[in-house]
Amino acid sequence: MKNTLKASSMIAVIYLFTGYQELSAQAKKDSIKEKQIEEVVMIGYGTQKKENVTGSIGVISAKELADKPNSNPLSSVQGKLAGVNVVNAGAPGGSPRVDIRGIGSLTGNTVFIVDGMITEDISFLNPQDVESMSVLKDPSSLAIFGAKAANGAVIIKTKSGKGKPVFSLNSYLGIKKVTNIPKMVNSDQYIELYNEKVVNDVLIPKPSDFKSRADYPADTDWFKEIFRTSIINSNDFSASGSLGKLNYYGSVGYLQDEGNLAAGKGINSGSGFNRFNTKVNLSYKITDNITIGDSFSFSKMRTDQSQNPLLTAYIAPPLFSVMNSATGNYQNFSGYDIANPRAQLDLYRSQIREERLLNNVWGELKFLKDFTFRISYTSDNYSPSKYEYTPVQTYLPIANQKASTLVTRNLRNRNYVWDNTITWKKRLGSHNLEVLAGFSRTRDSQSEDYWDAKNVVFDGTNGSLNIGNGTDIRHFNATTEAKDGVPAVTQFQNRIESFFGRANYDYKGKYLLNASIRRDATSQISTDRYKTFPAVSLGWVVSKEDFMSGQNVFSLLKLRASYGEAGNPNVRRSYDKITTNVGSAYFGGAGYTAQTIDLFVDPTIGWETTKGRDFGVEMGLLNNKLKIEATYYDKNSNDIVASIMQGTVSGASNWNDYVTNAYSFKNKGIELAVNYSAKINEDINFGVYGNFSSLKNEITSVAGGSFLNTGASLFGNSIIRLEAGQAVGSYYGYQVAGVFQTDAEAAASGQDGAKAGWFKFVDQDGNGVVDSRDKTFLGSPIPKGSYGFGVNFNVYSFDIAVDFQGVFGNKIYNYNREQRYGNETWDLDMYNNRWHGEGTSNTNSMITSNQSVILPNSFYVEDGSYFRIRNIQVGYNLPKSIAESLSVKKLRLYLSAQNPWTSFKYNGFSPEILNTDRVQMGIDNNIYPISAIYTFGMNLTF
């Protein structure tokens, strides 16, 4: 990153000191010859010239999304925008996690406004249909969306048509391969470590306690058994243009991603994803003042969900074969409480099927010259259905076999957004004013049915997986109480009603003002349902001042500052039921069910609120060929709803899970973005970009001075603590200062039961005893900084683009590695660097199953920094003369590589860990790995 910033700086210096005046003069001549196109960005309920924007908004164009082998358009944003942290999913069809300027809340996600519809999931959206994306980063930009905007918002505009008919065909075919697979021990090494463990753990071992290689002839690499190189293929066709007063855009596309988990054996459904989608955008101008339109999207998706065997493959010993040659069944791991990873992958079938219909109908009326009224109604209907089938596991002993089970879940989501706005736009001499007033109503509703049955026989077709074909059939819905381990069935309806307004003002394009206010009422809050969210932002275009008229350095110099508020009512509550049945009391022989207050609840849980400010400077140099933008931001989230410990309350079952408006935290940092583009001549041009973001996240207060121990745990030892003064998701445990080399050293440490080869925990309080009071914070999963940079060239008919991306300063908790407390296998690093005698290691412990070694500690906290080549793409455009002879406008062929190389130190598949739970965002626990993707593609326009 440093080298790229230096390179960008050198470019600027070269132009400034070697003929700068001549270049500036030539640039001005070029600007006279070429008609300049003003950059327009999308803001809430409208658009605005980029030069007049006073908030912080990042823009992604269709070009930056095209030709990337990603099912979700947000995946292609990674590394492109300062302040926007995208963590991609490895699983096919998975949605990335997007954090804009840190953590705004522990619940909810970034929202997307797609053609007027507000949603948290855009997995239905074909990246080829996206024209542009505006990422709203500061609260002044977000406040206009009020109750939906606490975690940030992205406005997505899909493509439209105009003019002569244009037809496009975009297609690519690629292969996906899991990279950086952890190296595990082989059978010889496993037996060596196993027998070493026996010596370390058993006081007087017997010969039968040891293992012999002669008894275990197999040597299985379980990762090779479950992974494969797979195929990804996408094909999209679109047509756009005009028919009289009708403008149209239509597309149809199909994406198939096989996934890297090896399907095809047993009844396995693998980890594949496929999506069929169609898109139609229409606008019809009835009169000069009346326009109507419709934006229609339909998608049909199927996601195969194998029972993820990654953790099992990580811990399974290499001693066993996949199949038992004597029985022909999958091999049972006799003496081990570990599943056969291949059997786990093969003998489980799960699938999600979803059809989603999103339709936006709108109309626009212009009247009294300066007024525009717009009405928009968007419906979003989708009904995911999921089944999970587990057959009889015949490889287990008969006594351990269970009947086959089939579980089905059917959800119905019916959402709508109804928006009404009126805009007054007026120019009075040098004063420009635009006033917007609006009313909006949204409703999100969901219902669910849950069915399960036993003894369903699968014959190879989905049709056989019918609840009616089984026995012991059970049905649960919203009126049925959960029981026998069946989770509660969801049913809800959330409504928000809003009034909002905004005023944009500028004087001669030099002095800018944006002020907005929104008042929301929500059904999700039982008290204080109304909340008001104000915002204001100011800008000063210094370069338009008279005293700047004689300079040739800045084509743009703008200062801006903003303040705004947003909210989140979508928070956890649990006050529906606060009593528990405790048995029967007998009076006169009659039995009556007794009840007691089982938990304490807070019935007054209210809004979460986010308040933020930022200060920025935007510069354009060399006639805007070089653009620099720098921003400082400070965002505070208050009344965050989550659990805390309530140790002073006795007898409540939720003593460690008391939900209330408990937390406040802040995010602050700086953002820097640099872009340079130059046209050498008609046939050669190039561009360079770079961005950098810093972030400091800190919990500033917790209700009652409390805290929360949470996250994954082993034997009741939680890994994460939420406490004031620390970042969200910080790990909590013992600090390792090395490994005890002798028993005498261990005995003198005050660490209970310690002996040579154990981790040496730091006595934090210095009282001579090492116990739970010596636990400390071990690091945060939140990167201190992130960056992205890239270059692109167009040389005659060839184009080349390379993107780089990375993060630093974050920590990963290697929970996969910690989860070995029996006979699980080891990775090669443990074999090579273990302690096995005085002086052999001061980093890795001895081989042992003692639980003291797997207490949460800093050994399992690893560096999450990485540097990655995100994309490499080389394209060839058919010369225009040849293309015209073939009756096509454009034909481009390209080769691309996504994630071909990543540099990191973490002992796992990838340091990019996707946990949607922001509290556990850095814990690697059975996470599907990121793949390298190599594609060949074609863009045809005619």
Side-chain angles (χ1 to χ4, degrees):
M1 178 61 194
K2 291 181 179 178
N3 292 335
T4 302
L5 290 176
K6 287 180 180 179
S8 300
S9 300
M10 287 177 64
I11 292 171
V13 170
I14 289 170
Y15 276 102
L16 288 171
F17 289 94
T18 57
Y20 178 83
Q21 296 293 334
E22 290 81 0
L23 286 170
S24 297
Q26 183 60 44
K28 288 185 177 181
K29 292 179 181 179
D30 292 341
S31 67
I32 295 173
K33 294 179 180 179
E34 299 177 7
K35 183 179 180 181
Q36 297 295 318
I37 299 176
E38 291 183 327
E39 186 178 359
V40 176
V41 301
M42 292 178 291
I43 60 176
Y45 304 99
T47 61
Q48 194 172 19
K49 290 192 299 182
K50 179 68 169 69
E51 187 176 288
N52 291 345
V53 171
T54 51
S56 189
I57 300 176
V59 179
I60 294 292
S61 66
K63 182 180 179 181
E64 293 171 288
L65 302 176
D67 307 332
K68 305 295 191 300
N70 300 309
S71 61
N72 193 302
L74 258 295
S75 297
S76 301
V77 177
Q78 188 178 51
K80 295 286 188 179
L81 293 176
V84 181
N85 186 38
V86 177
V87 181
N88 278 314
S95 297
R97 190 184 76 237
V98 181
D99 293 321
I100 300 175
R101 290 185 172 177
I103 311 300
S105 173
L106 300 181
T107 58
N109 299 295
T110 299
V111 296
F112 308 97
I113 299 91
V114 185
D115 296 331
M117 184 67 205
I118 298 179
T119 179
E120 293 184 4
D121 177 21
I122 56 170
S123 58
F124 70 93
L125 186 61
N126 184 353
Q128 294 288 349
D129 289 332
V130 177
E131 181 174 295
S132 65
M133 302 169 63
S134 289
V135 182
L136 310 183
K137 296 191 287 185
D138 69 312
S140 73
S141 301
L142 293 164
I144 196 70
F145 291 112
K148 292 285 189 177
N151 287 290
V154 180
I155 304 175
I156 298 176
K157 183 179 186 300
T158 58
K159 293 178 181 178
S160 58
K162 190 175 183 180
K164 295 181 180 179
V166 176
F167 302 94
S168 298
L169 176 64
N170 299 287
S171 178
Y172 64 78
L173 177 66
I175 60 172
K176 297 180 64 177
K177 184 177 178 63
V178 176
T179 57
N180 305 306
I181 298 175
K183 295 180 179 179
M184 311 302 291
V185 297
N186 59 30
S187 288
D188 290 328
Q189 294 163 335
Y190 175 86
I191 288 177
E192 180 183 350
L193 296 184
Y194 182 93
N195 291 338
E196 193 174 301
K197 179 172 70 73
V198 172
V199 174
N200 291 332
D201 290 355
V202 181
L203 185 61
I204 305 177
K206 303 184 296 292
S208 59
D209 292 332
F210 297 95
K211 291 189 182 295
S212 169
R213 186 74 169 90
D215 296 328
Y216 297 94
D219 188 9
T220 304
D221 184 332
W222 290 108
F223 286 132
K224 286 185 178 179
E225 286 295 330
I226 66 170
F227 284 134
R228 66 173 178 181
T229 299
S230 64
I231 300 296
I232 182 171
N233 177 233
S234 175
N235 299 279
D236 303 280
F237 175 78
S238 66
S240 63
S242 299
L243 292 173
K245 296 182 178 181
L246 175 69
N247 294 333
Y248 64 88
Y249 170 84
S251 72
V252 61
Y254 182 77
L255 170 72
Q256 182 176 21
D257 184 346
E258 291 181 342
N260 290 116
L261 289 180
K265 299 180 180 180
I267 63 166
N268 172 29
S269 51
S271 58
F273 171 78
N274 62 51
R275 178 184 64 206
F276 167 81
N277 55 271
T278 184
K279 176 74 178 172
V280 177
N281 284 341
L282 303 171
S283 66
Y284 185 77
K285 197 166 188 177
I286 299 175
T287 69
D288 290 341
N289 297 324
I290 302 175
T291 305
I292 59 173
D294 184 78
S295 179
F296 170 91
S297 297
F298 174 77
S299 63
K300 187 173 183 178
M301 296 178 286
R302 190 195 75 194
T303 306
D304 297 325
Q305 292 191 319
S306 294
Q307 188 172 346
N308 193 343
L310 287 169
L311 177 59
T312 312
Y314 190 91
I315 65 176
L319 304 179
F320 300 97
S321 299
V322 174
M323 307 299 294
N324 185 321
S325 58
T327 64
N329 291 328
Y330 290 95
Q331 180 65 54
N332 175 36
F333 294 178
S334 178
Y336 288 78
D337 190 20
I338 300 173
N340 181 324
R342 184 69 241 186
Q344 183 181 8
L345 175 61
D346 291 348
L347 300 181
Y348 177 87
R349 187 176 181 89
S350 179
Q351 197 173 91
I352 298 176
R353 292 176 176 267
E354 177 180 337
E355 292 184 356
R356 189 165 186 176
L357 176 62
L358 190 148
N359 193 48
N360 170 243
V361 181
W362 58 271
E364 193 171 88
L365 169 66
K366 296 181 179 180
F367 62 100
L368 298 178
K369 187 179 179 181
D370 301 318
F371 290 86
T372 301
F373 173 73
R374 183 181 176 91
I375 184 171
S376 170
Y377 182 88
T378 308
S379 60
D380 184 12
N381 300 322
Y382 57 104
S383 302
S385 61
K386 178 179 182 179
Y387 70 76
E388 300 173 4
Y389 179 68
T390 304
V392 178
Q393 297 178 351
T394 55
Y395 67 94
L396 295 177
I398 293 178
N400 296 335
Q401 292 180 15
K402 298 180 180 179
S404 64
T405 59
L406 175 64
V407 173
T408 64
R409 289 180 177 273
N410 298 299
L411 287 86
R412 287 168 49 89
N413 295 270
R414 300 293 183 264
N415 309 328
Y416 77 78
V417 176
W418 178 38
D419 289 331
N420 303 266
T421 61
I422 187 167
T423 305
W424 177 52
K425 194 171 184 179
K426 189 70 174 178
R427 181 168 187 171
L428 300 170
S430 298
H431 303 271
N432 296 294
L433 181 65
E434 181 178 325
V435 179
L436 169 79
F439 167 78
S440 179
R441 180 177 290 166
T442 67
R443 187 196 71 185
D444 300 330
S445 63
Q446 183 184 93
S447 61
E448 179 183 358
D449 277 340
Y450 176 104
W451 296 79
D452 66 18
K454 296 180 179 178
N455 298 309
V456 175
V457 178
F458 178 60
D459 65 7
T461 65
N462 281 340
S464 63
L465 296 178
N466 189 306
I467 289 291
N469 295 335
T471 63
D472 304 312
I473 300 172
R474 297 185 302 175
H475 177 222
F476 297 84
N477 56 32
T479 63
T480 310
E481 183 176 332
K483 59 183 177 181
D484 299 331
V486 177
V489 177
T490 60
Q491 180 165 319
F492 66 82
Q493 184 178 106
N494 298 328
R495 299 180 303 278
I496 297 176
E497 189 171 277
S498 311
F499 295 90
F500 54 90
R502 179 180 62 218
N504 287 325
Y505 168 79
D506 76 82
Y507 175 72
K508 292 186 176 180
K510 293 189 296 185
Y511 310 117
L512 313 172
L513 169 67
N514 177 298
S516 68
I517 191 167
R518 181 171 180 128
R519 185 163 176 81
D520 285 324
T522 176
S523 63
Q524 297 166 263
I525 302 292
S526 58
T527 59
D528 189 23
R529 288 185 169 178
Y530 291 85
K531 200 74 174 178
T532 302
F533 303 102
V536 63
S537 56
L538 302 170
W540 178 25
V541 185
V542 183
S543 54
K544 289 189 176 183
E545 294 288 358
D546 292 340
F547 62 80
M548 295 287 287
S549 60
Q551 58 85 33
N552 293 319
V553 177
F554 295 102
S555 46
L556 173 68
L557 176 60
K558 182 173 74 173
L559 304 178
R560 54 177 172 77
S562 69
Y563 171 85
E565 300 180 10
N568 177 30
N570 184 25
V571 295
R572 176 184 169 193
R573 294 174 184 81
S574 57
Y575 48 72
D576 293 332
K577 182 181 179 183
I578 60 174
T579 61
T580 298
N581 295 339
V582 294
S584 299
Y586 289 87
F587 300 94
Y592 298 91
T593 301
Q595 290 192 330
T596 184
I597 295 177
D598 182 59
L599 51 86
F600 285 88
V601 299
D602 180 1
T604 63
I605 291 175
W607 289 81
E608 297 179 348
T609 58
T610 298
K611 300 178 182 180
R613 56 183 178 172
D614 78 353
F615 306 93
V617 57
E618 298 176 22
M619 293 178 284
L621 305 167
L622 303 174
N623 196 37
N624 272 340
K625 287 183 172 65
L626 177 62
K627 297 179 180 180
I628 302 173
E629 185 171 345
T631 305
Y632 167 81
Y633 67 89
D634 187 346
K635 181 172 72 173
N636 295 280
S637 298
N638 301 306
D639 299 320
I640 300 302
V641 177
S643 303
I644 57 171
M645 308 285 280
Q646 50 164 349
T648 58
V649 179
S650 177
S653 64
N654 63 329
W655 63 274
N656 60 348
D657 188 26
Y658 177 63
V659 181
T660 186
N661 289 103
Y663 297 89
S664 294
F665 41 77
K666 65 180 179 181
N667 302 273
K668 64 180 180 180
I670 60 171
E671 299 170 358
L672 176 66
V674 179
N675 289 272
Y676 178 81
S677 60
K679 188 173 185 178
I680 306 302
N681 55 43
E682 291 299 321
D683 298 308
I684 302 175
N685 58 71
F686 74 95
V688 180
Y689 77 90
N691 63 76
F692 169 80
S693 308
S694 72
L695 172 63
K696 181 180 179 182
N697 173 271
E698 180 184 345
I699 300 173
T700 53
S701 67
V702 184
S706 186
F707 60 87
L708 178 67
N709 291 329
T710 186
S713 65
L714 284 173
F715 305 108
N717 295 291
S718 299
I719 289 171
I720 291 172
R721 174 173 282 199
L722 300 179
E723 186 175 299
Q726 302 298 321
V728 172
S730 292
Y731 315 119
Y732 189 71
Y734 295 96
Q735 182 68 48
V736 175
V739 176
F740 291 118
Q741 299 300 313
T742 65
D743 288 338
E745 180 189 10
S749 68
Q751 190 168 319
D752 186 38
K755 62 180 182 178
W758 283 24
F759 288 128
K760 185 191 303 181
F761 296 150
V762 175
D763 181 7
Q764 299 285 348
D765 57 15
N767 66 355
V769 178
V770 177
D771 55 23
S772 60
R773 291 172 293 182
D774 294 301
K775 289 183 177 181
T776 187
F777 288 94
L778 305 174
S780 161
I782 300 175
K784 293 180 180 177
S786 59
Y787 56 90
F789 60 94
V791 295
N792 59 81
F793 298 89
N794 285 274
V795 181
Y796 294 94
S797 296
F798 291 92
D799 59 85
I800 303 170
V802 185
D803 298 312
F804 304 88
Q805 172 261 335
V807 302
F808 64 88
N810 60 309
K811 301 294 183 179
I812 298 171
Y813 200 98
N814 196 333
Y815 195 62
N816 289 337
R817 203 177 197 191
E818 186 184 23
Q819 289 184 86
R820 60 163 342 282
Y821 35 81
N823 298 326
E824 297 87 352
T825 194
W826 296 267
D827 57 49
L828 197 58
D829 173 78
M830 191 66 188
Y831 175 82
N832 291 330
N833 297 295
R834 74 191 187 280
W835 184 95
H836 54 285
E838 185 176 355
T840 55
S841 176
N842 198 38
T843 57
N844 294 30
S845 72
M846 68 192 302
I847 302 301
T848 178
S849 292
N850 193 293
Q851 292 181 21
S852 296
V853 173
I854 59 172
L855 290 172
N857 66 70
S858 60
F859 175 77
Y860 303 106
V861 178
E862 302 186 34
D863 186 2
S865 305
Y866 69 88
F867 170 69
R868 169 182 291 154
I869 299 177
R870 177 59 176 153
N871 285 291
I872 303 175
Q873 190 168 115
V874 179
Y876 173 75
N877 289 276
L878 198 66
K880 186 176 181 180
S881 59
I882 300 177
E884 290 177 348
S885 68
L886 298 175
S887 300
V888 300
K889 293 182 179 180
K890 175 185 175 183
L891 175 60
R892 177 175 175 266
L893 305 176
Y894 65 89
L895 295 170
S896 77
Q898 181 168 281
N899 306 325
W901 178 80
T902 305
S903 174
F904 60 94
K905 297 179 180 179
Y906 174 62
N907 287 292
F909 285 99
S910 168
E912 190 169 4
I913 306 298
L914 178 65
N915 263 321
T916 55
D917 180 355
R918 285 175 170 79
V919 174
Q920 302 191 75
M921 70 183 88
I923 296 180
D924 187 358
N925 182 17
N926 209 19
I927 301 296
Y928 198 107
I930 301 292
S931 299
I933 309 175
Y934 304 92
T935 58
F936 169 73
M938 176 191 71
N939 307 127
L940 174 64
T941 304
F942 56 96

mmCIF file of all heavy atoms in Angstrom, residues 775-788:
data_model
loop_
_atom_site.group_PDB
_atom_site.id
_atom_site.type_symbol
_atom_site.label_atom_id
_atom_site.label_comp_id
_atom_site.label_asym_id
_atom_site.label_seq_id
_atom_site.Cartn_x
_atom_site.Cartn_y
_atom_site.Cartn_z
ATOM 1 N N LYS A 775 -7.259 -13.119 33.645
ATOM 2 C CA LYS A 775 -7.642 -13.012 32.240
ATOM 3 C C LYS A 775 -7.559 -11.556 31.785
ATOM 4 O O LYS A 775 -7.769 -10.636 32.583
ATOM 5 C CB LYS A 775 -9.066 -13.538 32.020
ATOM 6 C CG LYS A 775 -9.197 -15.047 32.141
ATOM 7 C CD LYS A 775 -10.617 -15.492 31.841
ATOM 8 C CE LYS A 775 -10.762 -16.999 31.884
ATOM 9 N NZ LYS A 775 -12.143 -17.440 31.556
ATOM 10 N N THR A 776 -7.270 -11.370 30.526
ATOM 11 C CA THR A 776 -7.128 -10.022 29.988
ATOM 12 C C THR A 776 -7.619 -10.007 28.549
ATOM 13 O O THR A 776 -7.954 -11.053 27.979
ATOM 14 C CB THR A 776 -5.655 -9.568 30.062
ATOM 15 O OG1 THR A 776 -5.568 -8.196 29.696
ATOM 16 C CG2 THR A 776 -4.777 -10.391 29.132
ATOM 17 N N PHE A 777 -7.658 -8.835 27.965
ATOM 18 C CA PHE A 777 -8.112 -8.719 26.581
ATOM 19 C C PHE A 777 -6.950 -9.027 25.633
ATOM 20 O O PHE A 777 -5.819 -8.573 25.836
ATOM 21 C CB PHE A 777 -8.691 -7.335 26.325
ATOM 22 C CG PHE A 777 -10.031 -7.140 26.983
ATOM 23 C CD1 PHE A 777 -10.124 -6.563 28.243
ATOM 24 C CD2 PHE A 777 -11.187 -7.572 26.362
ATOM 25 C CE1 PHE A 777 -11.349 -6.409 28.869
ATOM 26 C CE2 PHE A 777 -12.427 -7.429 26.978
ATOM 27 C CZ PHE A 777 -12.506 -6.842 28.228
ATOM 28 N N LEU A 778 -7.263 -9.790 24.595
ATOM 29 C CA LEU A 778 -6.231 -10.376 23.738
ATOM 30 C C LEU A 778 -6.242 -9.858 22.309
ATOM 31 O O LEU A 778 -5.448 -10.325 21.493
ATOM 32 C CB LEU A 778 -6.398 -11.910 23.710
ATOM 33 C CG LEU A 778 -6.399 -12.592 25.075
ATOM 34 C CD1 LEU A 778 -6.726 -14.071 24.927
ATOM 35 C CD2 LEU A 778 -5.062 -12.417 25.780
ATOM 36 N N GLY A 779 -7.098 -8.909 21.999
ATOM 37 C CA GLY A 779 -7.131 -8.379 20.641
ATOM 38 C C GLY A 779 -8.542 -8.253 20.116
ATOM 39 O O GLY A 779 -9.506 -8.746 20.712
ATOM 40 N N SER A 780 -8.647 -7.591 18.990
ATOM 41 C CA SER A 780 -9.951 -7.268 18.408
ATOM 42 C C SER A 780 -10.047 -7.809 16.984
ATOM 43 O O SER A 780 -9.055 -7.814 16.257
ATOM 44 C CB SER A 780 -10.156 -5.753 18.397
ATOM 45 O OG SER A 780 -11.159 -5.369 17.494
ATOM 46 N N PRO A 781 -11.240 -8.221 16.561
ATOM 47 C CA PRO A 781 -11.419 -8.679 15.177
ATOM 48 C C PRO A 781 -11.573 -7.547 14.175
ATOM 49 O O PRO A 781 -11.619 -7.783 12.968
ATOM 50 C CB PRO A 781 -12.711 -9.493 15.253
ATOM 51 C CG PRO A 781 -13.496 -8.824 16.332
ATOM 52 C CD PRO A 781 -12.479 -8.379 17.354
ATOM 53 N N ILE A 782 -11.661 -6.303 14.659
ATOM 54 C CA ILE A 782 -11.913 -5.162 13.781
ATOM 55 C C ILE A 782 -10.592 -4.623 13.245
ATOM 56 O O ILE A 782 -9.708 -4.262 14.025
ATOM 57 C CB ILE A 782 -12.680 -4.063 14.524
ATOM 58 C CG1 ILE A 782 -14.019 -4.612 15.024
ATOM 59 C CG2 ILE A 782 -12.894 -2.855 13.622
ATOM 60 C CD1 ILE A 782 -14.800 -3.640 15.882
ATOM 61 N N PRO A 783 -10.417 -4.564 11.930
ATOM 62 C CA PRO A 783 -9.163 -4.046 11.370
ATOM 63 C C PRO A 783 -8.926 -2.596 11.781
ATOM 64 O O PRO A 783 -9.839 -1.779 11.794
ATOM 65 C CB PRO A 783 -9.378 -4.159 9.857
ATOM 66 C CG PRO A 783 -10.443 -5.186 9.687
ATOM 67 C CD PRO A 783 -11.341 -5.032 10.879
ATOM 68 N N LYS A 784 -7.668 -2.300 12.112
ATOM 69 C CA LYS A 784 -7.304 -0.911 12.378
ATOM 70 C C LYS A 784 -7.211 -0.117 11.083
ATOM 71 O O LYS A 784 -7.334 1.104 11.084
ATOM 72 C CB LYS A 784 -5.970 -0.861 13.123
ATOM 73 C CG LYS A 784 -6.020 -1.441 14.524
ATOM 74 C CD LYS A 784 -4.661 -1.364 15.203
ATOM 75 C CE LYS A 784 -4.725 -1.954 16.614
ATOM 76 N NZ LYS A 784 -3.394 -1.945 17.276
ATOM 77 N N GLY A 785 -6.974 -0.824 9.991
ATOM 78 C CA GLY A 785 -6.895 -0.150 8.704
ATOM 79 C C GLY A 785 -7.206 -1.102 7.570
ATOM 80 O O GLY A 785 -7.045 -2.316 7.682
ATOM 81 N N SER A 786 -7.698 -0.544 6.477
ATOM 82 C CA SER A 786 -7.963 -1.316 5.261
ATOM 83 C C SER A 786 -7.571 -0.451 4.071
ATOM 84 O O SER A 786 -7.556 0.778 4.154
ATOM 85 C CB SER A 786 -9.430 -1.733 5.172
ATOM 86 O OG SER A 786 -10.286 -0.603 5.187
ATOM 87 N N TYR A 787 -7.270 -1.099 2.963
ATOM 88 C CA TYR A 787 -6.796 -0.360 1.804
ATOM 89 C C TYR A 787 -7.099 -1.133 0.527
ATOM 90 O O TYR A 787 -7.335 -2.348 0.536
ATOM 91 C CB TYR A 787 -5.284 -0.085 1.902
ATOM 92 C CG TYR A 787 -4.450 -1.334 2.085
ATOM 93 C CD1 TYR A 787 -3.958 -2.043 0.991
ATOM 94 C CD2 TYR A 787 -4.164 -1.815 3.363
ATOM 95 C CE1 TYR A 787 -3.199 -3.189 1.156
ATOM 96 C CE2 TYR A 787 -3.413 -2.950 3.539
ATOM 97 C CZ TYR A 787 -2.925 -3.637 2.436
ATOM 98 O OH TYR A 787 -2.180 -4.780 2.607
ATOM 99 N N GLY A 788 -7.085 -0.399 -0.561
ATOM 100 C CA GLY A 788 -7.236 -0.990 -1.883
ATOM 101 C C GLY A 788 -6.582 -0.077 -2.900
ATOM 102 O O GLY A 788 -6.563 1.145 -2.729
#
